[in-house]
Amino acid sequence: MFDWRESPTFRKYSKAIDKTCQKIIKALHETGTNNLSLLAKKTGMSPALVHYYYDKLTSKNILKLKVKVNVVNMGLQPIEIIFKDEGMGKEPGLESYLKGIEYWRNIEKYYVQMDTYWHVYFNIPKEAINDFNRYVRNVSEKAGVRIVYMNTNPIDINPKPNVDWFNDEERRWEFKWSEWMDEVVLGSREVDFTVPKMGEFVVLDKPDVFIIQKLEEDAETSFKEMANEMGVTPPTVRYHYYKHLVKYDIIEGYEAILKLFPENISINILGHIQFTSRKNMNSFMASLEGKPFSSRVLANLEDNRATVYFYIPFDQIVELNKALINMKRAGIIKDCTMGLIDYKSKMEKSLPMNLYEKGSWKMFF
C-alpha cells in the first residue's frame, strides 16, 4: 500500500488542509460567491484571515473558483458524446475535427482495457442541432471512430467535495469506502434531476458578453479590473452584471473546484455507469456530495446512465472498483466501465462569445 507520508507534495497539501480551510471550503459551497468579505461574515472570521487562507488554497492549486453560466438561457444546448476508436488509422485524427467545432467545451481521451475512447461535451446553438448531428456522424466516418453514446440533454451535476475524510489530527486521508457503499444502499438523500429549461430570454449586449468572457477566464476578476479594461466605470459593470446576467439567470453563481490530492500521486478516471432504476441513480448521485473523489456528473434520465468524473490517489483505484462492484452485486448498478483519462489530452475551453452577436450565435459546420 502506498504511504502518503512518503510524498513531499502531499505534505505540502496536508499543511494547507486544516480546520480553518475546511470552514472556508464549506462556506464557498454554501454561498456560491466570489466575494471574500461575504465569506468572512459566513465563517465569522476576519476578512484578512479569509484572504490569507483562501490564497493559501489557491496558490497550492487545491482550490479554483469557477463561474456558473446557464448556457440554456443563452440559446445553447448541452450535448455529450462518447466515441470509440476503431483503430482504422484514418487522418486527420478525431481531435482535429472536434477542435474545428468552436462550441466544444471538454475533450478527454481515455482508455478502457485495450480500447481507446473520446469523451466530448458541447454547447451547441439550438438552431444548429440537426446540422451538428450530421457533422459529427460524418466526422466519425472520416476519423475512423464510432459513436457509442450520445446524451442530447445531459443534466450537469456538480457534487460539492469537501475534506470530511481528512484526519486533521494525524494529517492523513481516511477513505471510508464501506460507509459510502452503505450510504448508497440506504438512499437517504436525493439530488435535483430537473432538466434545464429556457428561462426569460434577454439579448446580451457587448458589456454582458465581455463580463462572461472575463469571468470564464478568471472567476476572481473584479468589477474594477473589468471596468478598466472596458474603459467604463465599475458601477456600469456592476449594473450589467446584476441587472442583466444575474437577473435573467445567465450567471447563477460560483463553484469551488477542488483538487484535494497532488497530481503526481493521483489519477483522473471517467466512469460510465448505468443504474438499475432512477431511484438508485438518484441515491448514488446524492452520495457523492461531500466526498473528496468526484467533481462532476453528467446524468441521462432516458436510460438511467451517468458519466462520472473521479479524481483519486493511485492507491485507491482498486478500492473504488471494489465499491462499484459491490454496488452492482447489491442491485444498484446494472453496468459500469471505468477508463483512465490521458491527462495530456484533457482539454477545457470557454464559451465562444466571439460567435455571439445581437442575440444569436453564428453557426457553421
Side-chain angles (χ1 to χ4, degrees), residues 128-300:
I129 296 298
N130 291 334
D131 291 338
F132 169 77
N133 288 336
R134 285 191 291 268
Y135 180 83
V136 293
R137 284 179 169 78
N138 185 44
V139 163
S140 67
E141 294 179 6
K142 289 182 178 179
V145 298
R146 178 165 57 92
I147 297 174
V148 295
Y149 177 73
M150 179 179 285
N151 184 0
T152 57
N153 202 13
I155 299 177
D156 203 335
I157 301 170
N158 296 98
K160 297 178 176 61
N162 64 28
V163 293
D164 287 349
W165 283 8
F166 187 75
N167 188 319
D168 191 54
E169 294 181 0
E170 299 183 17
R171 315 306 299 161
R172 65 183 178 86
W173 287 95
E174 297 174 344
F175 287 89
K176 305 172 185 178
W177 297 111
S178 295
E179 290 185 16
W180 179 45
M181 166 76 182
D182 292 340
E183 186 179 343
V184 175
V185 172
L186 293 174
S188 58
R189 294 190 292 173
E190 293 186 352
V191 294
D192 184 7
F193 275 158
T194 303
V195 178
K197 294 182 179 179
M198 180 73 73
E200 189 170 355
F201 180 75
V202 59
V203 177
L204 303 180
D205 55 24
K206 288 184 178 180
D208 299 332
V209 169
F210 181 84
I211 292 170
I212 293 172
Q213 283 179 314
K214 298 306 292 184
L215 290 179
E216 280 223 307
E217 292 172 7
D218 182 358
E220 297 181 53
T221 306
S222 67
F223 290 158
K224 183 178 180 180
E225 290 171 324
M226 286 187 277
N228 289 339
E229 194 167 341
M230 293 170 63
V232 298
T233 63
T236 299
V237 176
R238 181 183 295 273
Y239 174 85
H240 283 272
Y241 178 85
Y242 285 108
K243 296 300 182 180
H244 289 185
L245 300 177
V246 173
K247 179 179 179 180
Y248 294 101
D249 293 324
I250 302 297
I251 289 181
E252 299 179 321
Y254 299 83
E255 292 175 332
I257 308 300
L258 299 180
K259 186 176 288 186
L260 296 172
F261 320 112
E263 290 183 354
N264 65 326
I265 57 173
S266 306
I267 194 164
N268 289 278
I269 295 176
L270 193 107
H272 193 64
I273 306 172
Q274 184 171 24
F275 298 89
T276 52
S277 69
R278 178 73 56 79
K279 178 180 180 298
N280 288 332
M281 181 168 73
N282 198 317
S283 177
F284 182 90
M285 301 306 172
S287 76
L288 297 177
E289 191 79 9
K291 305 303 185 294
F293 53 81
S294 179
S295 59
R296 188 185 190 189
V297 178
L298 297 172
N300 185 343

Side-chain angles (χ1 to χ4, degrees), residues 4 7 9-10 13 60-62 259-268 311-314 343 346:
W4 289 83
S7 169
T9 315
F10 175 69
Y13 262 57
K60 294 182 183 296
N61 200 31
I62 296 174
K259 186 176 288 186
L260 296 172
F261 320 112
E263 290 183 354
N264 65 326
I265 57 173
S266 306
I267 194 164
N268 289 278
Y311 179 74
I312 61 171
F314 292 127
Y343 185 76
K346 186 175 172 62

Side-chain angles (χ1 to χ4, degrees), residues 322-364:
K322 285 181 181 178
L324 295 172
I325 289 170
N326 287 334
M327 290 180 200
K328 186 174 182 180
R329 290 172 177 167
I332 303 293
I333 291 174
K334 181 178 180 180
D335 192 25
C336 176
T337 59
M338 302 288 282
L340 302 182
I341 295 176
D342 182 348
Y343 185 76
K344 293 181 180 179
S345 75
K346 186 175 172 62
M347 296 168 280
E348 185 175 358
K349 188 171 76 67
S350 301
L351 284 168
M353 299 306 299
N354 58 303
L355 300 181
Y356 181 90
E357 187 175 349
K358 296 180 180 179
S360 62
W361 297 90
K362 296 178 183 177
M363 297 170 286
F364 54 86

